[in-house]
Amino acid sequence: MTQIERAFVDIREGQVHLRRTAGVAPGTSTPLWMVHASPASSVSLVGLMKHLGVTRSVIAPDTLGNGDSAPAAPVVPDIAYYAEASLRVMDALGIERVDLYGSHTGAHIVTEMAIARPDRFGRMVLDGIAMFSPEQKQDYLANYAPAIQPDAFGTQFHWAWHFVRDQGWFFPYFKRDAAHARGLAMPSVEALHDTALEVLKSVRTYHHAYRAAFAHPDRERLPLVKVPTLVMADSSDPLKGGADEGAALLPGALMFIHDDRGDAASLARKAAAIAGFLDSGKLGPA
């Protein structure tokens, strides 16, 4: 399967960490730029990268203030800022034109990238875009992503583990009752450990990207997209309810819900569907 390598690139905020596929023959397909969900890093995309990287170059940076990337510069960064910073990362890497994929927070970021510079992008995949009501946005801004500072008791370690674990069980995770249970098994201990470590790396700054996504005026911005788009979500994704509305706001967009069974075969089918759309503009096997 495709090998994933890690690298850093310099922009004015500092160093941006990224993962990218290695050994892919140039010119096979348009390169793919992937932007991860909050709260971790591009490590969450490695599974898809290994599949998609068979026929194309794939690049997935850690967004500023997440994973191993430098913090964002503004005190309160918005989604437009994260999109502009991503474009500068592309420039620093000498990459002119790519397809786009964004998951959750990443979906909002790539939306703004496509609006700002449609000439630089072919097709776009939004995998789980949040279409929250104004009331939900206020609730999540107030409660979902608290600012965390390390302390002498190490409470940040305890917090990070339960923050990551409870997101697997509840949505939103801070409403821990039967009405908000996702009905899923607990993620593997290995997955929880890996994600919690990524959160801890950027525990002082992880919350900025979350809050930017919650504040993003998505219903105003999506109709401005001119790039051919697939709006999708996994059947297990708590944001899947936004796929229909998101697609309806995008002229000519396609939409589907992927039957996510949590196994390797399911991931392969998802990757094939994404690759099919990126290559042909049509839905591949779901």
Side-chain angles (χ1 to χ4, degrees):
M1 195 175 282
T2 311
Q3 180 181 347
I4 306 296
E5 64 182 20
R6 300 172 67 181
F8 286 89
V9 63
D10 292 322
I11 60 172
R12 64 172 177 259
E13 286 86 351
Q15 289 201 310
V16 172
H17 173 258
L18 59 91
R19 290 173 170 86
R20 61 189 176 195
T21 53
V24 180
T28 51
S29 292
T30 303
L32 178 61
W33 189 268
M34 303 185 77
V35 184
H36 63 86
S38 294
S41 70
S42 58
V43 72
S44 63
L45 298 174
V46 165
L48 274 178
M49 290 177 72
K50 288 181 176 179
H51 286 285
L52 294 166
V54 172
T55 58
R56 74 196 70 234
S57 296
V58 182
I59 308 97
D62 295 351
T63 55
L64 291 174
N66 288 268
D68 289 306
S69 286
V75 175
V76 183
D78 61 11
I79 287 295
Y81 165 80
Y82 285 106
E84 186 270 338
S86 292
L87 287 164
R88 287 190 281 114
V89 176
M90 286 178 59
D91 291 340
L93 291 168
I95 298 172
E96 180 57 33
R97 185 175 172 84
V98 295
D99 289 328
L100 291 170
Y101 167 96
S103 175
H104 290 210
T105 297
H108 295 270
I109 293 172
V110 299
T111 293
E112 290 297 331
M113 293 173 71
I115 293 170
R117 290 297 306 271
D119 56 304
R120 298 187 68 171
F121 307 112
R123 298 186 174 101
M124 178 169 70
V125 176
L126 305 180
D127 187 358
I129 186 163
M131 302 299 295
F132 297 134
S133 69
E135 294 75 20
Q136 287 174 310
K137 288 187 175 190
Q138 289 302 313
D139 189 15
Y140 298 164
L141 280 167
N143 298 297
Y144 203 103
I148 301 294
Q149 290 293 329
D151 62 39
F153 295 98
T155 54
Q156 69 273 12
F157 294 97
H158 184 269
W159 171 85
W161 178 267
H162 290 88
F163 175 63
V164 170
R165 185 199 66 179
D166 289 355
Q167 287 191 55
W169 283 345
F170 304 99
F171 187 79
Y173 79 94
F174 57 87
K175 296 184 178 181
R176 301 175 180 88
D177 56 32
H180 295 89
R182 296 181 60 190
L184 303 177
M186 186 179 80
S188 71
V189 172
E190 290 79 11
L192 289 174
H193 174 79
D194 292 346
T195 305
L197 284 179
E198 293 299 302
V199 173
L200 284 165
K201 286 179 183 179
S202 53
V203 74
R204 299 174 181 84
T205 54
Y206 87 97
H207 58 290
H208 291 305
Y210 259 130
R211 294 181 183 182
F214 296 145
H216 185 226
D218 36 45
R219 290 176 178 85
E220 300 172 19
R221 302 297 289 170
L222 284 171
L224 303 179
V225 171
K226 304 301 181 186
V227 173
T229 302
L230 169 65
V231 183
M232 62 173 293
D234 291 338
S235 57
S236 59
D237 189 340
L239 303 187
K240 66 183 179 184
D244 275 320
E245 182 181 0
L249 290 168
L250 287 155
L254 300 179
M255 190 280 289
F256 89 98
I257 302 299
H258 167 63
D259 181 15
D260 177 24
R261 303 186 182 185
D263 57 12
S266 178
L267 183 64
R269 289 193 300 272
K270 177 176 180 174
I274 292 169
F277 171 76
L278 295 177
D279 286 338
S280 70
K282 300 177 182 178
L283 283 176

